[in-house]
Amino acid sequence: PPASQNNEQGSTLRDLLTTTAGKLRLGSTDAGIAFAPVYSTGAASGKSGRTMPNILDDIIASVVENKIPPNRAPKINVKSEIKDEPKDDKKCIQDDCSKRYGDIQYSWICDKHVLWLRDHKNSNNWKLFKECWKQGRPVLVSGMHKKMNFSLWKAESISLDFGNQQADILNCKDSIISNTNVKEFWDGFEDVSKRQKVKNGETALLKLKDWPSGEDFKAMMPARYEDLLKSLPLPEYCSPEGKLNLASHLPGFFVRPDLGPRLCSAYGVAATKDHDIGTTNLHIEVSDVVNILVYVGIAKGNGVLSKSGVLKKLEEEDLDDLLRKRLKDSSELPGALWHIYAGKDADKIREFLQKIAKEQGLEVLPEHDPIRDQSWYVNKKLRQRLFEEYGVKTCTVIQFLGDAIILPAGALHQV
């Protein structure tokens, strides 16, 4: 409310700042706030080791101390504002929310750990997404490619438009990065005979590392950038200007995470002898992320698994029944195999990987973190041990053409 309507101390941000600033005294711990001021230490702070108090911490502390008197009702009734809020989110998920969200086409996969929204066009998807997102659960939205200009995302189209660019290319097997012409990568994308060979004559498994990304993506590929933005799932959350996208509300002086977009392109393991290689090793996302599979190339050449061979390989995975059903649907094109873990299991996974490293005779340095370093792809045998020895379940998801996988910050995954 305007200050003229209510003169109570701290009723507006201006009043709070004024009253708090008036109370603060350098080095004082009795400034009328709940906690003592926070000080930074360092060589430049003199003998006392103190500098000016952290004003923001003091203001936050003052807010904590400045309670609403019991005889005065709060200005905003939060419960009345959020009319369709469920009383128990977990109960809603366990009961399938079928009564509350009967107009949304959805399923639960991975023992109800992942929400699958099957109709990307439904404008009410965000309501069910919100319930799931509060739980920190991943979400899959299918059919996004139907909104996109498919011709823009073909390998030959990107190669034709940007083949003369230089970029970092990662050999996924030995983690060696080389800077080379982008056309070389795209020429071998669907033609195995044009792919690089490693010393023993095997075909290299290459990944075009985050090319392009962020502002470079927008500047270099404006048509593709616009096509991607108009095709994002759940625009209320995923659009840069989405009303429920926290990043769109951050003040300009905040240091924002790199929100992309990034183009992640890699050869499939179907043409390699070793199928236990990841094109993306196990790691943690530092911000919420949406990953859309915009194109799946079918590699041709000697030693490549046939489509039936690829399907057979995928069927060996620990898959949900619904995903097995999708595999048998001839209209669906599988492109990527994901293994996802909840953020709460990070410490157990880290301990397990350090244990495996010692078993393999590898040096385990205290400053090295196997997850942060992205040095592991956890194969099927190790995933089984992880479950048996630490009780950590792997959520296995197949990403088909047009699928958007949305992961919360802190989730672990490999591809």
Side-chain angles (χ1 to χ4, degrees), residues 293 296 323 326-327 332-336 398-404:
L293 190 56
V296 178
L323 291 176
R326 282 190 85 184
L327 274 178
E332 297 270 27
L333 188 57
I398 296 175
Q399 188 180 25
F400 293 80
L401 176 64
D403 280 356

Side-chain angles (χ1 to χ4, degrees), residues 61 72 79 139 150 152 158 161 174 223 234 239 281 301 330 391:
R72 179 171 168 263
K79 289 184 179 178
V139 176
F150 188 65
L152 288 175
I158 297 176
D161 291 346
D174 57 20
L234 301 152
S239 168
N281 283 348
S330 59

